[in-house]
Amino acid sequence: LDIFGFETFDYNSFEQLCINYCNEKLQYHFNEHIFSLEQKAYKEEGIDVSQITFADNQPTLKMLEEKKKGIFAQVDEEMTVPRGSDQTLLTKISKQHDKHPAFRKPGVKTNYERESFTVVHYAGPVMYNTTGFLEKNKDKLSDDLEKVITGSKSEFVSKLIPASAGGKKTGRGTMSGKTSIGSKFKNQLNALMQTLNATEPHFIRCIKPNDEKEGNIFTAQMVIDQLRYAGLLEVCRIRQIGYPVRKEFKDFYRRYNPTIKPGVKDVKALTARLEADGLLPKGEYQLGKTKVFMRNGPYNELEAAREIALKDQAILLQSYARRFIMRARYLKYAKTIAAMQDGMAKRDYEKLKSAIQDAGDLPHGGKHLTVFADAQKVLRRLEEEMAAVKLLTDAIEKRDYSLLMGAIGRCEEMKFSPPEVKKAKDLKKLIEEERAAVKALAAAISARKLDDLKVAMDKVSKLKKTDCDEWKQAETLKKRLLEEEEATKAVEA
């Protein structure tokens, strides 16, 4: 049901009276519907709502629509009275409803006020000027217009107004056989209400934020007036004086059990504890069959207490989470430090290198720790030793005397004695012996002494250095010397 707006202008006449009468009627239906829904909800849950009342605008409706005594009835009656006028109508209305709480007599300050009466509607008082009331209430076309239409040669036009519609002038100033605008409006409204009462209504309220018809403009007074005229403030009042907050037992227990320590097992015990703690004052709530009914004050207090309780729980969870994170970090740090210590103890290069890399996750990268500095020193020492061993290995493989001397000297400087050093020294000594044997062989060749040559060749043969040039020269020379020796013996013989 889209209820059209309540109207109140600087000048209000018969049209506004009809519109506002309709709104008054619809508002009564709306209030009754809302209140009945409230009563139904309370009744289903067994809640006592005897103290809840709602603003009943029935007296105002009665003043407007009552037969014979109502304002609309008086307007119709004044149309039948000889010499009836808007002024006499105002006098009779004022006299009839002078003591009615929803009626106010004409004012005296201005002509407009002197010609007006005021009706206190649900949305506020509205002053109606009676000037033109009787004329506007007549459902009558101009006599000339009726004559032209009914006398038209066009069959369609002539039938627009039935022959009996115009009626005949009576001796009391109105038209017989016709119904006034007010009566028609009232009858149609009653028919509408019968339809509404037989349905399940849904109410649509459209709020206009400003008169400029532009976005991002909110005229507060204009909006509050519309809310008041639409009766929504009365709905809020009805809900407010009752128990506007309703929570199912399960939801209530889940939300508010954390607010007490220790917790309880059911809703009844929970509400008793909350009442004892002052969070749910007696009389501000009621237990239904499946729901807890509360007023806004205690509800806000409970929500605030719940926020505090949840905050405390959140802090507790955060402390556990922080403890877990810090313990995990500590264990990781301890494992990294232990790995560095173990790597140094075992002088395990790969393990030590991996541990130092992992130390990057330590606070300050581990640079403030003595064990980290020691591990770096050991790692550098191991790298130097590995480099020295590689030099020794390469020199041994190449049998390079200069490389051997350099590698051995490097190890002696480092005070490093791996097995490769002994091998290198043995090889160095062997190379020196080989060089000495070859040199002695060369000297023997130069001296051309067979005995010295044989001794030198025997030493070179033992050292397995027979691949040198001197060995070949020695073999040739030895053969020649032996031949010369035999020839000499033969001559002597």
Side-chain angles (χ1 to χ4, degrees):
L1 180 63
D2 186 0
I3 300 180
F4 52 90
F6 182 84
E7 290 190 357
T8 175
F9 304 119
D10 293 335
Y11 183 90
N12 302 289
S13 188
F14 187 72
E15 301 93 322
Q16 281 70 46
L17 180 64
C18 292
I19 291 173
N20 292 338
Y21 163 56
C22 177
N23 277 283
E24 197 78 48
K25 195 86 169 177
L26 291 173
Q27 184 62 30
Y28 175 78
H29 173 72
F30 177 71
N31 286 350
E32 192 176 46
H33 174 70
I34 295 298
F35 188 70
S36 65
L37 288 179
E38 290 287 287
Q39 293 281 41
K40 181 181 179 183
Y42 293 139
K43 186 176 180 181
E44 288 176 350
E45 292 290 327
I47 301 299
D48 179 22
V49 288
S50 57
Q51 78 283 11
I52 301 176
T53 60
F54 73 100
D56 187 5
N57 62 344
Q58 183 64 34
T60 305
L61 287 173
K62 184 178 180 181
M63 180 182 69
L64 291 171
E65 65 182 4
E66 187 179 11
K67 291 182 179 180
K68 295 184 179 181
K69 295 181 181 180
I71 291 177
F72 280 105
Q74 287 182 287
V75 176
D76 289 347
E77 181 182 1
E78 193 64 21
M79 291 173 60
T80 65
V81 175
R83 297 181 183 179
S85 66
D86 296 328
Q87 188 58 45
T88 57
L89 171 64
L90 178 60
T91 301
K92 292 179 180 179
I93 291 176
S94 300
K95 183 179 179 180
Q96 177 66 43
H97 305 289
D98 182 26
K99 296 181 180 181
H100 196 286
F103 183 83
R104 295 177 186 172
K105 295 189 297 183
V108 295
K109 293 182 179 180
T110 64
N111 289 333
Y112 177 77
E113 291 183 3
R114 286 191 286 270
E115 295 173 353
S116 305
F117 65 91
T118 300
V119 176
V120 182
H121 293 282
Y122 70 90
V126 180
M127 183 178 291
Y128 298 101
N129 190 286
T130 57
T131 303
F133 256 45
L134 298 182
E135 186 62 33
K136 291 177 180 178
N137 193 37
K138 294 178 182 179
D139 188 12
K140 179 179 179 297
L141 292 174
S142 167
D143 292 340
D144 293 337
L145 182 58
E146 285 186 14
K147 185 176 180 181
V148 169
I149 292 175
T150 56
S152 174
K153 294 180 180 180
S154 170
E155 182 179 359
F156 172 75
V157 174
S158 63
K159 289 183 179 180
L160 289 176
I161 300 178
S164 59
K168 295 182 179 179
K169 192 91 171 181
T170 67
R172 301 206 306 174
T174 189
M175 306 297 291
S176 64
K178 292 180 66 71
T179 305
S180 68
I181 291 293
S183 296
K184 279 188 177 181
F185 191 83
K186 187 169 64 172
N187 293 337
Q188 291 173 356
L189 183 57
N190 288 333
L192 172 63
M193 298 310 299
Q194 289 179 2
T195 302
L196 293 180
N197 290 331
T199 61
E200 181 180 352
H202 297 273
F203 298 90
I204 300 170
R205 304 290 185 172
C206 299
I207 304 299
K208 185 178 179 182
N210 61 74
D211 284 325
E212 289 78 9
K213 298 181 180 179
E214 294 182 7
N216 302 320
I217 298 177
F218 186 86
T219 307
Q221 188 58 47
M222 179 178 178
V223 172
I224 196 68
D225 288 342
Q226 292 177 81
L227 293 174
R228 183 180 294 108
Y229 295 161
L232 296 182
L233 298 184
E234 176 63 18
V235 175
C236 295
R237 190 193 69 82
I238 292 174
R239 290 295 297 267
Q240 194 173 28
I241 62 178
Y243 299 99
V245 182
R246 298 99 188 262
K247 296 285 185 183
E248 292 187 357
F249 286 167
K250 183 179 180 181
D251 185 35
F252 184 89
Y253 180 83
R254 179 182 61 82
R255 288 185 70 81
Y256 303 125
N257 194 43
T259 61
I260 60 173
K261 293 181 181 180
V264 294
K265 295 183 178 180
D266 54 45
V267 173
K268 189 173 182 180
L270 176 59
T271 53
R273 278 287 302 278
L274 292 173
E275 183 177 330
D277 293 344
L279 291 174
L280 200 60
K282 188 175 182 179
E284 294 294 303
Y285 78 97
Q286 288 195 45
L287 283 176
K289 297 177 181 177
T290 62
K291 297 178 182 178
V292 179
F293 290 72
M294 297 179 287
R295 293 202 168 96
N296 281 322
Y299 168 70
N300 293 332
E301 292 292 331
L302 282 177
E303 285 296 308
R306 178 175 180 269
E307 286 298 319
I308 294 173
L310 290 181
K311 181 180 178 181
D312 293 341
Q313 293 299 315
I315 292 173
L316 180 62
L317 289 175
Q318 288 173 352
S319 69
Y320 282 127
R322 290 191 181 100
R323 174 183 176 276
F324 173 79
I325 292 171
M326 297 312 297
R327 177 169 173 75
R329 287 180 182 174
Y330 168 77
L331 293 175
K332 184 178 180 181
Y333 297 163
K335 183 179 179 182
T336 300
I337 293 173
M340 286 191 289
Q341 292 172 336
D342 188 55
M344 287 189 292
K346 295 180 179 179
R347 296 180 63 81
D348 187 327
Y349 175 78
E350 292 298 332
K351 188 172 185 178
L352 190 59
K353 183 179 179 181
S354 176
I356 290 175
Q357 289 175 344
D358 292 340
D361 295 332
L362 294 172
H364 311 293
K367 295 177 181 178
H368 64 298
L369 298 174
T370 303
V371 65
F372 179 75
D374 294 341
Q376 285 187 314
K377 290 179 182 178
V378 173
L379 183 68
R380 286 193 295 269
R381 174 69 181 186
L382 290 176
E383 288 174 345
E384 291 174 357
E385 291 177 356
M386 290 170 65
V389 169
K390 189 174 187 307
L391 284 175
L392 290 170
T393 303
D394 291 343
I396 292 170
E397 288 179 358
K398 294 178 181 179
R399 293 178 59 83
D400 188 310
Y401 185 78
S402 297
L403 292 177
L404 284 171
M405 290 294 290
I408 293 170
R410 177 77 179 275
C411 290
E412 289 176 348
E413 288 177 4
M414 294 171 57
K415 298 180 181 180
F416 177 50
S417 301
E420 289 80 4
V421 170
K422 185 177 183 306
K423 291 181 181 180
K425 287 182 177 180
D426 291 343
L427 180 59
K428 172 177 170 286
K429 183 179 180 182
L430 178 62
I431 292 173
E432 288 175 347
E433 290 177 353
E434 289 175 352
R435 286 184 176 183
V438 171
K439 185 177 180 181
L441 182 61
I445 293 172
S446 298
R448 295 179 64 83
K449 293 180 178 181
L450 182 60
D451 292 336
D452 293 341
L453 185 63
K454 287 180 179 180
V455 172
M457 288 182 70
D458 184 53
K459 192 172 183 179
V460 170
S461 177
K462 288 179 179 180
L463 292 173
K464 298 179 181 180
K465 192 61 179 175
T466 57
D467 58 341
C468 59
D469 293 337
E470 287 81 357
W471 177 263
K472 293 178 182 179
Q473 292 176 9
E475 283 185 330
T476 303
L477 179 61
K478 179 182 178 184
K479 183 178 179 181
R480 185 178 296 173
L481 290 174
L482 287 173
E483 289 176 353
E484 289 178 354
E485 186 179 354
E486 289 178 359
T488 300
K489 285 180 179 182
V491 170
E492 291 177 351

